Amino acid sequence: MKYLSTRGGMDPAGYGEILLEGLAPDGGLVVPEELPRVDAETRESWRGLDYPSLATEVLSLFATDIPRDDLARMCRDAYAVSPDNFVEPAVVPLVPLSEVDARLSLVGLSEGPTLAFKDMAMQFLGQSLEYVLARSGRTINILGATSGDTGSAAEYALRGKQGIGVFMLSPQGRMSDFQRAQMYSLTDENIHNIAVAGVFDDCQHLIKQLSADLEFKRHHRLGTVNSINLGRISAQVVYYFWAWLRQTDALDADERSTARVSFTVPSGNFGNILSGHYAKQMGLPVHRLVLAANENNVLDEFFRTGVYAPRASAETYLTSSPSMDISKASNLERFIFDVLGRDPERLAAAWRELDETGTIDLAHEQPRFSEEFGIVSGSSTHSDRVETIREVHRATGRVIDPHTADGVKVARQHLDAEVPMLVLETAKPAKFPEIVIEAIGAADALPDHWAGMLDLPQRVTAMPNDEAQLRAYVEARAV
Ligand SMILES: *Cc1c(COP(=O)(O)O)cnc(C)c1O
């Protein structure tokens, strides 16, 4: 399997090469040359596999330049069940919400070390990155900015890894107690937490400044593990297959071959749902992919109208489902590439239109979004989330997090008579106590393995919003 740029300006490259960089040299995004197909017979042969073994099967279709035994070892380590890794024996449990609606279930993607779905991909990326670097005798320094979930998932996946340094910037005083404790209590030598006196945008700006110095970037082999990383996208494909298999376990053999399910995906940068789109293109019988947005509904607008109109940061609301607060969706280019017949010239023309006019108008293609690709959308508000958390709790006794609540709310507007609807649970409610208290009057208890974390000593370097200081800091500590 080779990988290409959406904009046509990149020589075909193998998985091992593209893992280090999601952005193609021509400014496009890296995509598989062609998606692998999985027929019904192969799918059935995977039914008895546990999660790490299924991950090995699916990822071997993407990572064709990694020997299978090595891949199997990485998947076993990435998805190991232990108190400080995945705590749920199934790794990804399916939880019916039948008291809310007989067709509705949650797909539990938040059983990993940082209690959010980013662990699913990041754990595999940590393994594969270390492997690929060792194989080629290289090192990398990951530079990132985080306002919460992504940074902690990256740190837990990369802690103690050989040949990898992690420099994670966070806005001083703007994260929750839980988020701070989670990141700053790590003591691994290769993890560097930097609290910048500023807001998240300042952190991102500092990173852009350092990366724009190409000589500095090359010399210290700076890299990122952001949401456009194709290793992450490929690792997320696995749980769509897993969820379909578990949902159809109870059916007769002849029913299984035609059984369809729908998924609802709480969305931000379009990474998670892009993996679902790829699973469907690979032949998984997915009826609908429902994109759930919050008040920052730029993607909902795109799927309803066909017009993509990214917003300015100033028009981006701070909401109670903060991991979905986006102004543009960095992975959407990969979907638009498919809509435009995977034609790099048409894609490049669309991005020129975006540069010149601020929008991409695909209104004439919009009917195909649902008819051909199965994607529909909806959005929800703070009061919808509060009401949904309350209602699910009342009916089932289960507490869901605000992002998952966006999903459940929008999923219920897109139920079909006969098709099961699987809502991806993207985080645990213990991470968002405020809205949970507003909804049900009490916070959800932290899982056992996190109790005590809030009292651990914290290790973080405070820094002014100053490029020269950051540069000196990285220079002194890069691997
Ligand atoms: C990152 C994140 C999302 C959004 O996922 P995308 O892949 O960016 O669409 C949704 N919910 C939670 C809790 C997240 O951390």
Side-chain angles (χ1 to χ4, degrees), residues 234-458:
S234 61
Q236 290 167 182
V237 171
V238 176
Y239 50 71
Y240 286 91
F241 278 87
W242 172 265
W244 184 90
L245 286 164
R246 298 296 74 84
Q247 178 63 37
T248 55
D249 272 339
L251 301 179
D252 297 338
D254 54 332
E255 290 171 328
R256 284 172 179 170
S257 57
T258 54
R260 293 178 308 167
V261 306
S262 292
F263 291 94
T264 297
V265 189
S267 293
N269 273 316
F270 203 75
N272 199 351
I273 195 168
L274 178 74
S275 300
H277 166 65
Y278 282 174
K280 184 170 163 68
Q281 303 299 305
M282 289 166 73
L284 190 69
V286 176
H287 176 52
R288 290 253 177 271
L289 285 166
V290 182
L291 180 144
N294 64 17
E295 290 88 337
N296 295 295
N297 59 355
V298 54
L299 283 173
D300 180 27
E301 185 178 89
F302 173 68
F303 281 96
R304 278 185 293 106
T305 66
V307 177
Y308 178 49
R311 317 222 166 121
S313 316
E315 296 167 74
T316 308
Y317 307 106
L318 292 175
T319 75
S320 52
S321 47
S323 297
M324 295 159 63
D325 291 347
I326 51 129
S327 45
K328 54 185 188 327
S330 35
N331 275 294
L332 190 65
E333 178 165 339
R334 289 181 167 127
F335 175 71
I336 293 183
F337 180 65
D338 288 348
V339 169
L340 298 178
R342 303 184 67 101
D343 177 345
E345 278 177 28
R346 290 179 70 198
L347 192 278
W351 251 256
R352 276 196 301 279
E353 179 189 339
L354 184 63
D355 286 342
E356 284 157 20
T357 67
T359 62
I360 298 177
D361 186 349
L362 294 176
H364 56 293
E365 304 280 8
Q366 190 273 347
R368 291 174 57 220
F369 296 175
S370 61
E371 285 161 20
E372 187 177 331
F373 299 106
I375 305 185
V376 294
S377 69
S379 51
S380 91
T381 63
H382 178 76
S383 58
D384 292 329
R385 287 187 279 286
V386 171
E387 188 47 46
T388 304
I389 293 171
R390 189 176 290 148
E391 207 184 326
V392 169
H393 181 250
R394 197 185 296 133
T396 69
R398 194 181 171 86
V399 186
I400 58 172
D401 98 290
H403 307 81
T404 308
D406 286 322
V408 171
K409 156 77 174 39
V410 174
R412 294 174 78 184
Q413 297 167 333
H414 291 278
L415 291 170
D416 288 289
E418 300 288 320
V419 187
M421 173 63 83
L422 307 182
V423 179
L424 304 192
E425 181 194 48
T426 55
K428 286 287 183 203
K431 295 185 89 166
F432 305 96
E434 282 173 18
I435 188 170
V436 173
I437 292 171
E438 183 179 346
I440 63 171
D444 198 43
L446 270 179
D448 289 345
H449 60 294
W450 281 117
M453 182 193 64
L454 292 170
D455 301 323
L456 292 177
Q458 298 190 0

